[in-house]
């Protein structure tokens, strides 16, 4: 199976997941305290709903045991699409029913898709490009602008995934040991960013996704002229964004999660992307409401732990 087909499959899944969240209005991701509190509330509500759902917890257990005979209802949309079962990417290991796009990532993806590896996590490139203008309706009628196009949330949007089988941030394992794993994911990215080859590597990956999407647009003969008119603008913007992106410091990044069932891929992954408005100007804002910063999760976990301790001491 070629990467192009996989890309198309991913697009469809993303488009479906994104369509569910359409029409909700946009509110920036939050340095202000009211918006931050709303993300904390959302996390607490999603987490408690999930952990109090016996069917979901049973599915989670089966998933961790890699049970491919089990009928997953609740986890279903986070798993590999049925069209990909028994198929492989580029001669890698074929997927089975209980896989997700990111589970045991190294067995299913070329090494070049892994930008960095630590003991607990991988930093992987995003297959979707950051620029909504690369998903025009003249190319594909299902790309309704601002509703179901699959672009990332900013230039350089990337993902940190756990190496072990953890399903989303609502999985109790995700926040075990005072959120050790979530903190490690952020730490991993910052270490990567601060090495000399970190930002060039991420820019190259961003460029590949950008180029791949342009190549697709270019292959459609009937709209070639429209595309050729657009391309210089896209490239000029890419170069200027890449320049700004290089200058970023760790504090300029958003580290965030989409809590089940707001997520698309089931496997635990942290979104990392620049906070700066400028670096988000061609990218998706409509996921902002469901985008929960790591800090919000850490605060909720700490508050709830403190409350539980106080209650047992009483
Ligand atoms: C896997 O799922 C099937 C179907 O629900 C079930 O019969 C089987 O016992 C499960 N296997 C394990 C190891 O739990």
């Amino acid at each position: 199976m070629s990467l192009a087909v996989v890309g198309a499959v991913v697009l469809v899944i993303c488009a479906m997941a994104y369509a569910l969240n359409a029409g909700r209005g946009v509110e920036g991701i939050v340095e202000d305290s009211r918006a931050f509190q709303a993300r904390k509330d959302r996390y607490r509500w999603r987490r408690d709903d999930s952990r109090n759902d016996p069917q979901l917890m049973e599915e989670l257990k089966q998933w961790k045991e890699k049970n491919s005979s089990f009928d997953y209802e609740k986890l279903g949309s986070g798993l590999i699409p049925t069209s990909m079962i028994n198929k492989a990417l580029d001669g890698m290991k074929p997927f089975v029913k209980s896989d997700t796009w990111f589970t045991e990532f190294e067995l299913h993806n070329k090494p070049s898709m892994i930008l960095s590896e630590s003991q607990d996590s991988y930093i992987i490139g995003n297959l979707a490009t950051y620029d909504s203008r690369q998903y025009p309706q003249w190319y594909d009628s299902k790309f309704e602008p601002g509703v179901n196009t699959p672009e990332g949330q900013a230039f350089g949007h990337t993902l940190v995934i756990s190496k072990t089988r953890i399903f989303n941030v609502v999985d109790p394992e995700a926040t075990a040991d005072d959120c050790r794993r979530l903190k490690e994911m952020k730490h991993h990215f910052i270490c990567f960013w601060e090495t000399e080859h970190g930002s060039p590597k991420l820019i190259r990956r961003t460029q590949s996704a950008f180029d791949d999407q342009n190549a697709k647009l270019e292959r459609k003969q009937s709209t070639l002229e429209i595309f050729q008119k657009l391309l210089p603008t896209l490239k000029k913007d890419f170069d200027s964004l890449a320049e700004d992106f290089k200058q970023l410091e760790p504090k300029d990044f958003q580290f965030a999660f989409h809590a089940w069932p707001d997520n698309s891929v089931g496997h635990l992954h942290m979104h990392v992307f620049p906070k700066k408005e400028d670096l988000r100007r061609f990218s998706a804002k409509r996921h902002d409401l469901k985008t929960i910063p790591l800090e919000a999760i850490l605060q909720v976990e700490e508050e709830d732990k403190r409350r539980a301790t106080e209650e047992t001491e009483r």
Side-chain angles (χ1 to χ4, degrees), residues 58 61-62 65 67-71:
E58 173 59 20
K61 182 168 154 273
Q62 295 292 338
E65 287 169 7
N67 191 343
S68 280
S69 323
F70 191 81
D71 234 349

Side-chain angles (χ1 to χ4, degrees), residues 19-260:
L20 291 174
N21 285 286
R24 276 199 203 161
V26 170
E27 175 192 344
I29 309 197
V30 299
E31 300 312 302
D32 88 87
S33 62
R34 236 183 70 230
F36 188 75
Q37 185 59 44
R39 296 320 186 284
K40 285 173 66 176
D41 296 343
R42 187 182 191 92
Y43 167 64
R44 192 177 264 120
W45 148 54
R46 290 296 197 205
R47 179 201 63 186
D48 292 348
D49 271 8
S50 306
R51 295 185 188 175
N52 293 325
D53 180 338
Q55 190 188 337
L56 182 67
M57 289 299 117
E58 173 59 20
E59 292 194 13
L60 221 108
K61 182 168 154 273
Q62 295 292 338
W63 177 72
K64 290 189 191 209
E65 287 169 7
K66 307 189 187 187
N67 191 343
S68 280
S69 323
F70 191 81
D71 234 349
Y72 297 94
E73 268 179 53
K74 301 213 161 185
L75 300 192
S77 66
L79 301 181
I80 202 83
T82 46
S83 61
M84 283 303 293
I85 295 172
N86 299 325
K87 303 217 173 83
L89 310 177
D90 304 305
M92 303 297 293
K93 189 180 183 204
F95 290 103
V96 295
K97 184 178 164 189
S98 59
D99 283 324
T100 77
W101 283 114
F102 297 160
T103 309
E104 283 115 33
F105 190 84
E106 71 288 355
L107 302 179
H108 301 288
N109 294 274
K110 287 181 300 182
S112 64
M113 288 301 291
I114 298 175
L115 305 180
S116 174
E117 173 178 6
S118 71
Q119 198 185 317
D120 297 315
S121 59
Y122 293 119
I123 301 176
I124 61 167
N126 197 343
L127 284 181
T129 176
Y130 66 91
D131 193 327
S132 60
R133 295 170 300 179
Q134 291 180 279
Y135 300 105
Q137 218 162 7
W138 51 255
Y139 176 72
D140 189 332
S141 58
K142 76 168 181 283
F143 291 151
E144 207 179 318
V147 177
N148 61 351
T149 47
E151 72 278 8
Q153 292 180 260
F155 184 93
H157 184 156
T158 195
L159 304 161
V160 186
I161 65 175
S162 69
K163 281 185 173 176
T164 46
R165 237 170 216 259
I166 297 177
F167 195 95
N168 194 263
V169 73
V170 301
D171 183 332
E173 265 195 277
T175 51
D177 304 329
D178 293 325
C179 302
R180 180 187 70 77
R181 285 189 181 78
L182 306 185
K183 291 172 186 165
E184 192 278 337
M185 292 165 109
K186 175 177 175 181
H187 179 73
H188 183 181
F189 180 83
I190 290 174
C191 291
F192 167 74
W193 184 256
E194 287 183 334
T195 61
E196 182 189 347
H197 52 262
S199 63
K201 227 173 174 174
L202 188 44
I203 290 172
R204 273 201 302 279
R205 181 57 230 159
T206 305
Q207 173 107 48
S208 300
F210 175 80
D211 290 344
D212 290 349
Q213 186 58 23
N214 283 336
K216 277 186 207 160
L217 295 174
E218 193 166 23
R219 280 198 293 272
K220 186 163 177 177
Q221 283 304 317
S222 59
T223 51
L224 187 57
E225 221 174 296
I226 307 178
F227 172 68
Q228 282 171 339
K229 262 197 207 125
L230 175 65
L231 186 61
T233 313
L234 295 178
K235 283 187 163 168
K236 187 171 79 41
D237 289 330
F238 181 98
D239 292 340
S240 112
L241 292 170
E243 257 334 286
D244 290 351
F245 185 72
K246 266 187 243 170
Q247 316 296 327
L248 298 181
E249 294 174 31
K251 66 168 175 41
D252 300 322
F253 285 94
Q254 186 76 63
F255 302 94
F257 296 85
H258 298 155
W260 185 87

